[in-house]
Amino acid sequence: MPNKSNFFNRTQMGGNGRGIARISGYLAGAALGVAALASPALAAMPPAGFAIGNKAHVSFEVDGTQLSAESNLVQTIVNTVSGVTISDAAPVDAIPGTLAPGFFHVITNKGNGPEAFDIVVSQYTANVVNPVTIYQADCATGLPSTTALVAPFKTPELLPDKSFCISVVAGLMSSAVVGTPESFQISAVATNTNASNYNAGPPITPRDGTTDVINPTNGPVLSLVKSYVAINGVDVVP
């Protein structure tokens, strides 16, 4: 019976090629399988600390003799990865010298471990009162709570794919000019310094930001709050 050493020697010297062809086929199949597992379209991000193991097994034939070989187990521990998104809010109208209706935002943990996120407000234009006031909001109805968040603003610790909703109220100075938009930027910023992709900056990343826009107006201002009603037991968005 030929041994594995003789098999590889014969192949390298131009001998029977059936064995090497079968090995190539098995390794190609294994590579495709690993690629499929790694594809983000086929699998969600594994949680931080999760162990992923891989072992290759190859079977081949030499002169009618079935042989096999198995690799060592290769194991990888998934690193903590931070990620966050903050949703956009539609522009609002406000009369100069009054408060602009609340901007509703959804902050979502897109990493693979629990994390709290800083809420940073910056880039105020000249006629927006600094600071703004931020309330926790009900994610289903958009209604703000009656108690404002205390600076420095921060979400509670969120599990992966879980969200925290806020309503941001900004004052518009009486010096604002009708027809000239005013704005400020609001960002959700990672705080887990142990995450593999955390960068102390400046600016700190990962982060996600959006711009809230106030349109000064002299006309009446109507404030709409998203809500749900139940009709025959089914939730309907009006």
Side-chain angles (χ1 to χ4, degrees):
M1 176 184 296
N3 57 38
K4 296 176 186 177
S5 176
N6 288 338
F7 163 70
F8 285 109
N9 287 338
R10 289 185 61 196
T11 301
Q12 293 165 358
M13 295 173 63
N16 190 320
R18 288 179 296 170
I20 194 67
R22 288 175 180 267
I23 289 176
S24 300
Y26 279 109
L27 291 179
L32 288 173
V34 172
L37 288 174
S39 171
L42 297 177
M45 183 185 299
F50 185 78
I52 298 176
N54 185 45
K55 180 183 287 190
H57 182 87
V58 179
S59 296
F60 52 92
E61 180 183 320
V62 180
D63 295 335
T65 301
Q66 290 291 332
L67 300 174
S68 64
E70 189 176 82
S71 73
N72 295 329
L73 175 66
V74 178
Q75 194 170 56
T76 301
I77 304 300
V78 176
N79 287 332
T80 300
V81 177
S82 181
V84 63
T85 59
I86 182 169
S87 64
D88 297 331
V92 301
D93 294 338
I95 298 171
T98 67
L99 294 177
F103 294 94
F104 177 76
H105 295 286
V106 181
I107 299 171
T108 305
N109 180 0
K110 304 304 291 185
N112 65 352
E115 186 170 1
F117 299 95
D118 288 333
I119 303 171
V120 179
V121 185
S122 61
Q123 299 183 25
Y124 292 84
T125 56
N127 292 296
V128 178
V129 176
N130 182 356
V132 298
T133 304
I134 301 179
Y135 298 88
Q136 180 178 353
D138 187 296
C139 290
T141 66
L143 292 172
S145 68
T146 56
T147 303
L149 301 184
V150 178
F153 306 125
K154 199 181 194 77
T155 73
E157 186 175 86
L158 302 174
L159 294 176
D161 290 320
K162 297 301 181 182
S163 299
F164 180 76
C165 298
I166 58 174
S167 179
V168 184
V169 176
L172 184 62
M173 297 180 186
S174 57
S175 54
V177 177
V178 173
T180 302
E182 302 287 344
S183 64
F184 57 92
Q185 187 175 85
I186 184 164
S187 301
V189 183
T191 62
N192 187 354
T193 58
N194 294 320
S196 60
N197 61 333
Y198 180 87
N199 187 328
I204 295 172
T205 57
R207 69 193 295 130
D208 190 33
T210 186
T211 300
D212 288 340
V213 177
I214 307 170
N215 293 315
T217 181
N218 285 329
V221 175
L222 178 64
S223 177
L224 295 177
V225 177
K226 179 182 70 173
S227 63
Y228 289 80
V229 295
I231 300 177
N232 295 327
V234 177
D235 287 338
V236 177
V237 183

